[in-house]
Amino acid sequence: MTSTISTHSGTPPLGGRLRRVLHRVDEIRLHVSRPALVWLFWIVILAAATLAMFSVQGRIEQAHVVLIYLLIVLGASASAGRALGFALAFVAFFLIDYLFQQPYYDFFNDKPLDFFVLVAFLTTAIVATQLLARAQEQAREARARAIEVTSLSQLASETLNVGRAEDALVKMVDVIQSTLGVASCTIWPWMPDRGFGESITRDGIDVRRRDPDTLVHRAAERGEPLSLAVNGALGAEAAAPGTRELFLPLGVKTGVVGVLVLSDDKPIVFNPPKQRFLAALTYYAALGIERAQLVREAEHAAALREADKMKDNLLASVSHDLRTPLTTIKALAQTAALRGDTAAAAIEEQADRLTRFVGDLLDLSRMKGDAFRAALDINTAEDLIGAAQRQAQGLLSEGRTIRTVVDLESPALVGRFDFTHALRIVGNLLENALRYTKPGGSVELGVRRDGDWLVFTVADRGPGIPATETDRIFEAFNRHADATPDVGRAGLGLSIARRLAEIQQGSLVYEPRPGGGSVFVLRLPAVDLEGA
């Protein structure tokens, strides 16, 4: 079965004729865009129709006259709005009464029945004009929303499609400038601690660090929009009358990240819907800047990680290569000592010092490379404290002492840890504490049970650690700001101690000691003997 589409060569259907008429009216409206000309055009139409109908006065039906005037009123309303429609409706009202209702050439005289026709015409014309105007307003709003949605979707598409975040900002500037129809649009990315860097326009990114306008600075620092009028007046609103330049801060949750500058030779006028659209555009621009900053931070962090990795590899290589010559130097020093060389002891001492330093570097490299293991076993806290005290005896000079505080009321102080690693931690903490303890002072070494943890504390009455440095004292090669350069320490002890604690599933933290001084708290897993 086939279907056939037939065509008719005669008079086109009514729908087609109406579409052509409306199309012609729309063309006329496009060509006659100036309001005064539109008014003149429809007045001429009204006059021509009146003359035409007047020529057949008496032979034309009143209903035809009313219908023709009504069409003219609707056409005028569609072209120029409700004001022209209302004006033509009232003019037609009087023309119908004066020229086309008997007795002719007389207003409202002996026409009681025809008066209702006039009232019906006027009412119909006014209501139709009002409805048409409202429909046009809604259509305009719908078109504006469609343009906004299209622009935003284009903005999102441009943002996602470009590879580099900076290129996405250039696309954003292009879309914003084109959509808003302004002569110039510039984005100034801004960071509170670094200020302004490059400027971004639709032509690209200007990487030259040049200082922007003072109003750009003010908008960024205050986080409030600024406007500069044609007459030079400064405003604090985004839609001030006569605005020639707009400075809009671009904010995200973390704060202001830049400023959007719009400028034009003529006043920039944004109605409320366009202001809402502008707010959406600026939010997109702020997200674009934030994305660019996050990408830069990620690249910077990756570069730092790579540099840190290269540093660790270099340290491991250098440390490994230094061990052999240091062993040779120590052997030669011992040989020289047997021959009676008085400088041999000093050489051997410095060789031992360098060997310990190299050993710390190697251990730190292994820990960072996750190649350092712990032999976890059940040990008592008393044995660890006793061993640490004996190890520190050689450091007790000028009346310094170590006072032990063991909580005897706690359950058995037994834990699961690597004894050698734990002794190295406590020994390192005692050495540090004694170094900063005044002659005649004491260091307090304590241990107690706290839930599932054995808590070892090493407390001294030294100068303590400034609050600004407490987060960095466990970093490798970090030294106290007041430390003397010749103390023979490289700043590796605390970093290694914390990593050793973490290898044993424990922790090491610093706390300021009430009354002055420092407290280092080491936590290692405790064990209940009944369940071990």
Side-chain angles (χ1 to χ4, degrees), residues 5 85 103 190 204 211 241 402 415 432 455:
I5 301 175
W190 181 73
D211 203 23
I402 298 175
N432 276 344
V455 181

Side-chain angles (χ1 to χ4, degrees), residues 165-179:
E166 290 79 4
D167 295 336
L169 287 173
V170 175
K171 292 290 185 182
M172 286 183 185
V173 171
D174 187 28
V175 172
I176 293 173
Q177 183 171 344
S178 302
T179 306

Side-chain angles (χ1 to χ4, degrees), residues 219 328 334 374 389 523:
T328 303
Q334 291 174 344
Q389 280 186 301
R523 289 178 178 268

Side-chain angles (χ1 to χ4, degrees), residues 104-124:
Y104 300 124
Y105 318 119
D106 191 6
F107 287 112
F108 312 117
N109 187 14
D110 297 331
K111 304 174 183 177
L113 295 179
D114 293 337
F115 181 74
F116 291 104
V117 176
L118 292 174
V119 172
F121 163 76
L122 187 60
T123 304
T124 303

Side-chain angles (χ1 to χ4, degrees), residues 17 31 54 115 120 263 299 329 399 406 477 479 525:
R17 282 180 288 167
H31 285 88
F54 182 73
F115 181 74
S263 60
E299 293 174 349
I329 292 173
V406 179
F477 303 106
R479 298 177 60 188

Side-chain angles (χ1 to χ4, degrees), residues 212-471:
D213 193 284
T214 55
L215 295 181
V216 180
H217 281 279
R218 189 182 301 184
E221 293 167 356
R222 296 184 179 182
E224 299 175 350
L226 293 173
S227 60
L228 186 65
V230 178
N231 59 4
L234 187 63
E237 299 179 0
T243 297
R244 181 171 55 85
E245 285 187 278
L246 269 179
F247 305 88
L248 304 173
L250 304 175
V252 292
K253 291 183 178 179
T254 55
V256 177
V257 294
V259 177
L260 175 70
V261 181
L262 302 175
S263 60
D264 208 330
D265 297 333
K266 58 182 181 300
I268 300 175
V269 180
F270 292 149
N271 53 22
K274 209 162 188 178
Q275 289 182 27
R276 290 196 299 270
F277 181 51
L278 178 61
L281 292 176
T282 55
Y283 182 66
Y284 267 93
L287 292 180
I289 295 177
E290 187 181 38
R291 176 194 170 197
Q293 292 177 349
L294 291 176
V295 169
R296 288 180 181 176
E297 291 176 1
E299 293 174 349
H300 181 64
L304 289 179
R305 285 196 299 272
E306 185 64 24
D308 195 50
K309 184 179 179 181
M310 293 177 62
K311 182 191 69 176
D312 293 340
N313 293 336
L314 178 63
L315 287 177
S317 176
V318 172
S319 302
H320 185 271
D321 292 342
L322 281 176
R323 298 189 73 175
T324 300
L326 284 174
T327 303
T328 303
I329 292 173
K330 182 176 176 66
L332 292 175
Q334 291 174 344
T335 302
L338 292 176
R339 290 199 304 264
D341 189 340
T342 56
I347 295 174
E348 186 175 359
E349 180 182 351
Q350 293 302 318
D352 289 339
R353 178 181 167 189
L354 280 176
T355 300
R356 288 194 298 273
F357 175 65
V358 171
D360 287 344
L361 285 178
L362 279 175
D363 290 343
L364 189 62
S365 297
R366 293 194 188 104
M367 292 175 188
K368 288 186 174 181
D370 199 23
F372 207 85
R373 296 290 181 267
L376 302 181
D377 201 356
I378 296 178
N379 297 284
T380 64
E382 286 83 353
D383 289 343
L384 178 60
I385 287 184
Q389 280 186 301
R390 290 191 295 276
Q391 182 178 281
Q393 288 301 312
L395 303 173
L396 299 178
S397 60
E398 298 180 355
R400 296 181 179 85
T401 59
I402 298 175
R403 189 168 68 90
T404 59
V405 180
V406 179
D407 186 3
L408 299 177
E409 297 182 357
S410 298
L413 299 175
V414 180
R416 187 183 298 277
F417 54 85
D418 186 309
F419 190 87
T420 303
H421 291 346
L423 179 60
R424 187 175 179 180
I425 298 172
V426 177
N428 182 278
L429 297 178
L430 282 175
E431 184 180 350
N432 276 344
L434 289 170
R435 182 179 301 111
Y436 292 106
T437 297
K438 295 180 179 178
S442 65
V443 173
E444 188 176 287
L445 173 60
V447 61
R448 59 185 171 83
R449 176 75 179 266
D450 182 14
D452 296 332
W453 300 98
L454 285 180
V455 181
F456 298 86
T457 56
V458 178
D460 63 65
R461 289 295 181 188
I465 305 297
T468 55
E469 297 185 18
T470 55
D471 293 336

